Amino acid sequence: ETVFVTPDEAYECLTSIPLNQDTSIKTIDQLKKVLAFQSSLAYSKNPPKEAKVDVEPVNVLATLDEIRKDVKGKLYKNNYQFDFAIREALRRTREAHL
């Protein structure tokens, strides 16, 4: 039997997962260790003017520090908001390998 849920039900489910502050901070710390090996971070921070794509500069590591600070400040109401913030930080680089 196929079960369907409405978009509102799906969103409610996603946002019902509470944020675990300790796990979220560990996630940020580990992600920064992995990203330390990403060669495109300097490019993302300072894209060349001659780039053919309009790319806004983004300092991923500094953005992750901000997210970590927001976790400590309890600004995220649930795990979905935390995950979304990380996804947006990486998406803004337009780097498919992230």
Side-chain angles (χ1 to χ4, degrees):
E1 176 181 338
T2 303
V3 177
F4 294 97
V5 296
T6 67
D8 287 341
E9 290 171 327
Y11 183 76
E12 185 177 321
C13 179
L14 286 171
T15 58
S16 70
I17 301 167
L19 181 72
N20 181 307
Q21 188 178 40
D22 292 337
T23 300
S24 298
I25 288 171
K26 287 177 186 175
T27 298
I28 293 287
D29 293 345
Q30 290 302 313
L31 186 55
K32 287 183 67 175
K33 288 177 185 178
V34 170
L35 288 174
F37 294 99
Q38 182 64 30
S39 61
S40 64
L41 291 185
Y43 174 84
S44 296
K45 190 175 176 182
N46 256 329
K49 290 182 173 41
E50 57 276 348
K52 302 220 187 297
V53 181
D54 185 24
V55 179
E56 83 178 80
V58 58
N59 184 334
V60 175
L61 298 179
T63 302
L64 290 174
D65 286 338
E66 283 295 314
I67 293 171
R68 190 180 195 282
K69 186 176 102 184
D70 291 347
V71 167
K72 284 188 153 211
K74 300 183 179 183
L75 296 181
Y76 297 110
K77 295 177 185 171
N78 52 58
N79 195 72
Y80 178 76
Q81 288 181 337
F82 170 72
D83 289 346
F84 189 84
I86 291 174
R87 185 190 81 177
E88 283 301 295
L90 299 177
R91 183 199 60 78
R92 288 179 47 216
T93 67
R94 294 188 178 189
E95 167 59 75
H97 298 97
L98 298 178

